[in-house]
Amino acid sequence: SPTVLFTKTLTNTEGRTDVIASIANKNAIAAAKNVSYRVQLYSTDQTIIQEVSGTLDLPPGATVPVFIPGVASGKQTVARAFLTIDQSSLRWFALPTDPRILPKVSNTSPGGTVDMPRVEAVLQNSSVTALTNVKVIVLVHDSRGEIVAASSTVVPTIPGQGQASATFTWNNPFSSAPSLIEVVPIIPLP
């Protein structure tokens, strides 16, 4: 079964909460597509504030981030969130080699201002085939390794044997200075 490594909430704006989670597939040659998950947000008194669901792909031997922006939380304070995998949606299939073309991430750089941070990264496509509508998730870690911000964007096209930029912006300052920035392209399984 896949393992949920963590689920973390990040305050977006008043009444909105971002959720970032990470799921590991430790199977070296097995993959699963369209796996259903559910995220529940809880208040300090352990009542459910909100519940959202979605699907994800689990490539073999990979760790997959899930980013859910702007979940409505109303006037309640979100104390914690949990992501659970719907075990009945798991349909494993053999995938001894991953046929996906994954862009290489380079030149990741923070920028913007303290009040409106920004991260830019270059995605390089080594294939002759153009990649379209590439979802990209960024995780910003502080010096202790804690995630202080996350975001996602879609890069419309990365030309064959070319490159494209991914830009992430925030309207609020980070809670602490960024130390490590992870940029993860999400390419669906075939």
Side-chain angles (χ1 to χ4, degrees):
S1 291
T3 304
V4 178
L5 301 175
F6 68 83
T7 307
K8 182 174 176 69
T9 60
L10 301 164
T11 302
N12 182 328
T13 57
E14 190 172 317
R16 311 294 276 170
T17 300
D18 294 343
V19 178
I20 185 74
S22 185
I23 295 92
N25 174 14
K26 296 180 182 172
N27 299 297
I29 60 170
K33 285 182 65 148
N34 299 318
V35 177
S36 297
Y37 65 84
R38 181 178 67 199
V39 176
Q40 293 178 313
L41 279 68
Y42 289 87
S43 67
T44 52
D45 65 359
Q46 303 305 315
T47 58
I48 294 178
I49 297 173
Q50 186 64 273
E51 189 174 297
V52 293
S53 59
T55 61
L56 65 114
D57 288 353
L58 294 170
T63 299
V64 179
V66 172
F67 177 68
I68 306 164
V71 178
S73 51
K75 295 184 186 280
Q76 298 186 60
T77 301
V78 176
R80 64 188 67 226
F82 295 97
L83 183 143
T84 54
I85 301 289
D86 177 3
Q87 298 295 321
S88 67
S89 72
L90 286 168
R91 302 283 183 267
W92 295 107
F93 61 94
L95 194 64
T97 57
D98 191 345
R100 299 174 306 148
I101 299 165
L102 296 171
K104 182 181 175 198
V105 178
S106 65
N107 299 331
T108 302
S109 60
T113 65
V114 171
D115 290 333
M116 298 183 75
R118 173 186 190 101
V119 168
E120 293 194 26
V122 174
L123 303 177
Q124 298 172 325
N125 178 3
S126 61
S127 166
V128 294
T129 306
L131 300 173
T132 57
N133 298 321
V134 177
K135 182 176 181 179
V136 187
I137 296 175
V138 64
L139 295 89
V140 180
H141 301 261
D142 66 11
S143 60
R144 296 173 312 178
E146 293 291 321
I147 296 174
V148 294
S151 187
S152 68
T153 191
V154 174
V155 177
T157 304
I158 307 172
Q161 295 186 331
Q163 63 186 27
S165 292
T167 303
F168 308 90
T169 59
W170 292 266
N171 294 325
N172 299 312
F174 296 153
S175 59
S176 57
S179 179
L180 171 69
I181 299 171
E182 280 182 89
V183 177
V184 184
I186 306 293
I187 303 294
L189 287 169

